[in-house]
Each structure stands twice: as structure tokens, then as C-alpha cells.
Amino acid sequence: MTLPGRDPDRDIALRDARARATNHLAAPFWPVRLAHELRELDVDWQESAEVCADAAWAARAAGRSVLGLLSPDEITAADLDPVTARTYRHLYLSALRYDFRCATLQAFVEQLPSSAAAELDCYSRALYAFALLGQSRPEGLALMDEVLAEAGQHTKTLHVLLHGLWLGHDLDQGAERLLALSARPAFGTTGTDPIVLFRVAGALRRLGRYDEGLAAIDRALDLLPPGDITVHADLVRERSLIAAARDVHQHMSARAFGGSAA
């Protein structure tokens, strides 16, 4: 989770805070403990996003999702300090994202007071953009562009937007936008992130570039950590979809060719 120019000791402190949170997920107060640690570290929005996104994912995988531990009223309580409020928001919105609850995420942000909505950090606005993009709402594209102008090469933020473009199948040039976003320097130039490759494969399938899509998904499968079952099924399913779409395309092309020659 290292950011350019950040003190290595700072990275260690953030990793330790995340580890302590994910090692105590059985305790119902783990979000409170994490918020306390991040407040002690006085984290910025980027650091908060990095820790909270990973913690929310680990909690979901362990059956301890923050959605069952924090209510919207607790997250928006007026007496929270800024870091705690942001921590709770990052955890809650990330959990909604991982559960694909786009409409709920959108409604949560839109019910915030106008002053609070105007002051949302970049990562929170990226999660709001995800909710809109995931529902193929065109206003999500405009918000995505605003977030990109501020996010720079912050990988966690770019992953959120990539996820939204992947989910929103009826967006104007959504697949093309996804491929452009996946080429950002934050994701590297050699195709080493299996999740990015998974999203890219889906975009290539939608564009009818089936052989490229199969190559991307095969590389993604090869890059998964040994024994990782969390996303393996999704990757295998995508591979089956690409292969089936290619077979249908080839069959239809052969029929069209045969008909024209008769």
C-alpha cells in the first residue's frame, strides 16, 4: 500500500493497524478500534482508503461485515471527529460496494446534508461514482472524471472506478473507458494485477475481442496466489463467458458466410 515519497515507518504503522483490525474481526467493536488507531495516526483520505478497503474485504470474507455492525445513523453522527467519521464511511461504503448494493450506496450519499456531501473526500466520491456507474447512470461518468482529476495514481481509488465501469454494462463507451483506465501507470504496464486483468477481459468480451479476452483471463488465473479461492470462480466464469461468446460469434459468422454463398 506504499505511496510515493511516504515514510516506510508510516507504511509499517498502517499495515499494523490493518492487521490488528483483521485479526480481531470476531469482536463486534473492531471498526471502533480501527477508527481509534487511524485517528491516533492522523491518517489522510488516501491512507484511510487503503486500510479500510482491505479491512472491509477481510471482514466480509470472514462473515463479519461492517454492514451488520454500523448503522447509517452511527456513521453520520454529528459528534464524531473527522477521522473517525471518514473511517466509518470508508468501511461502510466499501462494504456496500463489495456486496454490489449500488442503489443503497447511492441513497446513503444522497441523503447526506448538502454541506457534508460537498466536503466528501476523493475516495468517498469514487465510491459514490461506483454506485452510479454500476447502475449505468450517465452522471456517474461525469463524476468519475472529476474524481480522476483529483485521485492521481491512487490505486485503491482507480480500482473503485474500474469496478463501476465493469459493472455498468449500458454506459456510453463503458468498455473503451475501462480499457483506458486500466492502462494508467498506477496499474503497471505489464499486466500483473489479476483483478485488473479480470475487468479488462470482461471489457474485451463486450467489444468482441475474444482471443485477447481469453489471453487476459488466462494471465489473471495464472497470477492468482496459490490456493486463492475468493475470486477464482469469478475468473473461471468469465473465461467460460468469453469462450461461449466467441463460439456463438464464429457460428453466426459461418452461417452468414454460408448463406451468402448459396
Side-chain angles (χ1 to χ4, degrees):
M1 81 169 68
T2 303
L3 288 178
R6 193 160 67 192
D7 183 351
D9 291 338
R10 181 78 170 173
D11 288 322
I12 293 173
L14 291 169
R15 284 197 298 269
D16 288 347
R18 180 182 60 184
R20 282 189 289 271
T22 55
N23 287 337
H24 295 86
L25 292 174
F29 54 80
W30 75 261
V32 178
R33 175 174 180 166
L34 179 60
H36 173 75
E37 295 212 35
L38 296 188
R39 185 174 68 249
E40 290 293 306
L41 290 169
D42 192 26
V43 298
D44 59 23
W45 71 264
Q46 295 171 308
E47 294 167 332
S48 175
E50 292 157 22
V51 174
C52 292
D54 290 347
W57 177 259
R60 180 179 183 273
R64 297 295 300 170
S65 172
V66 71
L67 298 180
L69 301 175
L70 289 175
S71 70
D73 289 341
E74 290 175 294
I75 298 167
T76 57
D79 60 344
L80 295 178
D81 66 90
V83 174
T84 297
R86 185 177 60 206
T87 299
Y88 287 172
R89 185 173 64 246
H90 282 177
L91 288 171
Y92 189 75
L93 297 184
S94 293
L96 290 173
R97 170 199 165 200
Y98 294 141
D99 277 2
F100 295 87
R101 301 189 187 187
C102 295
T104 302
L105 200 165
Q106 177 189 352
F108 174 85
V109 174
E110 292 180 353
Q111 61 81 37
L112 292 173
S114 56
S115 58
E119 296 174 357
L120 285 177
D121 63 276
C122 186
Y123 191 67
S124 295
R125 288 188 288 117
L127 287 161
Y128 178 40
F130 159 81
L132 298 174
L133 293 169
Q135 299 174 87
S136 295
R137 298 178 66 95
E139 58 267 38
L141 295 172
L143 179 57
M144 180 185 74
D145 289 339
E146 293 177 11
V147 171
L148 286 173
E150 182 180 345
Q153 299 303 321
H154 187 245
T155 308
K156 291 292 188 186
T157 301
L158 300 184
H159 263 295
V160 170
L161 300 174
L162 201 70
H163 193 184
L165 289 171
W166 172 82
L167 188 60
H169 280 256
D170 295 321
L171 293 165
D172 179 38
Q173 293 191 311
E176 292 88 348
R177 292 173 189 266
L178 190 156
L179 294 179
L181 181 55
S182 72
R184 289 219 166 193
F187 293 132
T189 57
T190 56
T192 58
D193 187 324
I195 300 302
V196 174
L197 288 166
F198 168 52
R199 311 271 187 233
V200 165
L204 291 170
R205 169 173 52 81
R206 285 152 60 185
L207 293 171
R209 295 161 59 180
Y210 305 118
D211 289 340
E212 293 176 73
L214 287 172
I217 205 69
D218 285 346
R219 178 155 177 76
L221 284 163
D222 194 51
L223 287 168
L224 282 178
D228 187 334
I229 62 173
T230 56
V231 296
H232 185 270
D234 290 333
L235 269 63
V236 172
R237 188 178 303 112
E238 178 60 48
R239 195 184 194 288
S240 297
L241 287 172
I242 297 170
R246 184 186 63 177
D247 290 346
V248 169
H249 175 76
Q250 290 175 344
H251 178 69
M252 296 301 293
S253 297
R255 287 189 60 184
F257 179 78
S260 63

